[in-house]
């Protein structure tokens, strides 16, 4: 049995018998004004964060969500769109698609504005999306891509890049791990399916996105997620896993490489009203400016004694340079 077959069976079981503890999301279940989320959707919230951000969802974007779970984030996306087939949901597990359809009927009862046909559910897998090229404004996946091994991950990201419009966004939440995992953990198909042993270091995760052509990467959050300890897992050391929320934007790749935002900021505190690096970055005196890691390096290389550059906070909410 391949690891993808194991994954299929894990989520078939989770569709037939909801498993509240399958993924320990570190986000509260938030409800927008006029939005009520059915209890069953909350129980089937098989994610490790959130991919729903209001600032991504203005002007009725066409949306795609891969790996539907119980439909909670699809419902949240539909809140911002409210058009027939405005949100496409794709899953390879028939039972999960059927569970979502039933959950949407319950959501209609709780939300007078909502209609099930706002969401177009389709069977398909992440490596071969049944979606046209350059047709999606915002694509999302939550706690799915970390399951994939290297070649499959590369193909899944390439598919998301293909279907996005120019300047479209791929919004994701996945577990990551900076420690080395042994081969026993890496090759355990069930632990991989449970979103544990496939976790990559953040730098490798980001590189997979930029290798696909995404010119701008935003790391929006980095939070504690799970522990793999020697008493319960095949490891000789305690392994700490975090979850991150990331947006990859289909911007043209800059000549000097991608803009990767890890939550750094620059503050100019010199004698003038502002500092202009003549490369598109103007730092007003005593006003923090969010900067990408590339710009942080360029400013640091100036060796000025009147510019402070913060460490990465791994929290970025837009604005700043680039």
């Amino acid at each position: 049995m391949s690891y993808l077959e194991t994954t299929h069976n894990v989520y078939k079981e989770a569709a037939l018998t909801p498993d509240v503890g399958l993924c320990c999301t570190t986000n509260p279940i938030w409800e927008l004004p006029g939005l009520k989320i059915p209890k069953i959707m909350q129980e089937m919230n098989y994610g490790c964060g959130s991919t729903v951000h209001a600032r991504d969802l203005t002007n009725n974007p066409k949306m795609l969500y891969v790996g539907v779970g119980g439909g909670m984030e699809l419902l949240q996306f539909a809140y911002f769109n409210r058009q027939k087939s405005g949100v496409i949901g794709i899953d390879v597990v028939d039972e999960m698609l059927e569970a979502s359809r039933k959950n949407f009927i319950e959501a209609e009862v709780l939300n007078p504005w909502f209609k099930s046909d706002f969401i177009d559910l389709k069977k398909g897998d992440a490596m071969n999306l049944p979606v046209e090229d350059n047709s999606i404004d915002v694509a999302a996946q939550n706690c799915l891509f970390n399951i994939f091994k290297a070649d499959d991950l590369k193909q899944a990201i390439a598919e998301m890049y293909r279907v996005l419009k120019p300047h479209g966004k791929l919004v994701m939440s996945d577990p990551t791990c900076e420690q080395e995992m042994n081969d026993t953990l890496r090759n355990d198909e069930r632990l991989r399916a449970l979103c544990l042993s496939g976790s990559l270091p953040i730098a490798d995760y980001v590189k997979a996105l930029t290798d696909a052509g995404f010119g701008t990467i935003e790391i929006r959050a980095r939070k504690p997620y799970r522990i793999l300890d020697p008493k319960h897992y095949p490891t000789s050391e305690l392994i700490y896993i975090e979850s991150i929320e990331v947006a990859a934007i289909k911007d043209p790749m800059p000549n000097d490489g991608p803009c990767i935002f890890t939550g750094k900021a620059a503050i100019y505190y010199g004698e003038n009203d502002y500092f202009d690096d003549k490369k598109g970055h103007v730092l007003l005196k005593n006003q923090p400016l969010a900067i990408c890691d590339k710009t942080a390096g360029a400013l640091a290389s100036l060796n000025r004694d009147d510019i402070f550059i913060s460490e990465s906070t791994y929290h970025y909410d837009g604005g700043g340079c680039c």
Side-chain angles (χ1 to χ4, degrees):
M1 181 182 293
S2 74
Y3 84 96
L4 291 176
E5 289 176 298
T6 299
T7 300
H8 184 284
N9 291 337
V10 165
Y11 289 94
K12 175 181 176 179
E13 294 170 9
L16 296 173
T17 305
D19 184 354
V20 176
L22 184 63
C23 283
C24 291
T25 178
T26 54
N27 277 41
I29 305 298
W30 54 279
E31 296 184 348
L32 295 155
L35 171 63
K36 295 296 180 183
I37 299 173
K39 182 179 179 182
I40 185 63
M41 284 187 175
Q42 299 181 35
E43 292 174 348
M44 297 177 70
N45 178 25
Y46 303 140
C48 61
S50 178
T51 63
V52 183
H53 301 273
R55 67 183 178 88
D56 298 330
L57 303 174
T58 58
N59 301 317
N60 297 318
K62 181 75 173 181
M63 289 174 273
L64 168 69
Y65 192 81
V66 181
V68 299
M72 187 185 78
E73 289 193 306
L74 286 165
L75 175 63
Q76 291 174 323
F77 281 130
Y79 175 91
F80 292 92
N81 187 284
R82 306 193 185 194
Q83 298 182 35
K84 184 176 181 180
S85 299
V87 183
I88 300 171
I90 293 176
D91 207 297
V92 73
V93 181
D94 290 318
E95 291 80 3
M96 198 65 80
L97 291 167
E98 183 58 30
S100 290
R101 289 189 181 96
K102 292 178 180 178
N103 294 347
F104 292 142
I105 293 172
E106 186 170 339
E108 285 184 332
V109 175
L110 296 177
N111 298 276
W113 60 267
F114 176 67
K115 294 179 173 34
S116 291
D117 66 6
F118 289 171
I119 299 165
D120 183 10
L121 290 175
K122 297 182 178 183
K123 184 171 182 178
D125 68 73
M127 273 73 80
N128 186 24
L129 296 172
V131 180
E132 294 180 0
D133 295 358
N134 304 306
S135 61
I136 300 296
D137 295 296
V138 178
Q141 65 83 21
N142 194 334
C143 216
L144 172 64
F145 280 12
N146 74 99
I147 294 173
F148 295 144
K149 294 184 178 180
D151 288 345
D152 291 334
L153 176 62
K154 181 178 180 180
Q155 179 62 25
I157 293 173
E159 276 293 276
M160 289 291 210
Y161 188 89
R162 175 184 66 81
V163 303
L164 281 170
K165 297 176 183 178
H167 306 292
K169 292 182 180 180
L170 169 56
V171 187
M172 300 168 290
S173 180
D174 272 308
T176 61
C177 182
E178 300 303 317
Q179 293 169 258
E180 187 74 26
M181 286 199 192
N182 62 49
D183 289 342
T184 302
L185 284 170
R186 288 291 187 201
N187 295 324
D188 188 309
E189 295 179 356
R190 184 167 179 84
L191 290 181
R192 186 172 281 273
L194 293 174
C195 302
L196 295 172
S197 63
S199 305
L200 295 174
I202 292 174
D204 292 352
Y205 187 93
V206 169
K207 186 176 186 301
L209 296 167
T210 58
D211 283 351
F214 288 99
T216 302
I217 309 294
E218 302 176 351
I219 298 182
R220 295 175 168 181
R222 179 179 180 180
K223 296 171 286 187
Y225 180 62
R226 291 282 190 92
I227 292 292
L228 303 183
D229 68 281
K231 292 182 180 179
H232 300 93
Y233 298 93
T235 174
S236 61
E237 64 173 344
L238 187 144
I239 295 176
Y240 172 52
I241 300 176
E242 298 171 296
S243 69
I244 60 170
E245 295 175 11
V246 176
I249 304 172
K250 193 176 177 179
D251 288 338
M253 183 65 68
N255 292 332
D256 58 352
C259 293
I260 300 169
F261 290 86
T262 61
K264 291 185 176 181
I267 303 175
Y268 169 66
Y269 55 96
E271 299 302 320
N272 298 317
D273 292 335
Y274 64 90
F275 170 78
D276 185 349
D277 72 350
K278 309 300 182 182
K279 296 180 180 179
H281 311 110
V282 177
L283 281 65
L284 299 179
K285 186 174 182 177
N286 295 323
Q287 297 296 314
L289 178 72
I291 52 173
C292 72
D293 290 7
K294 184 173 57 180
T295 298
L299 290 174
S301 70
L302 299 176
N303 295 315
R304 294 182 64 102
D305 62 1
D306 55 5
I307 295 177
F308 173 82
I309 300 170
S310 77
E311 297 294 327
S312 296
T313 63
Y314 295 97
H315 174 79
Y316 176 73
D317 59 4
C321 77
C322 308

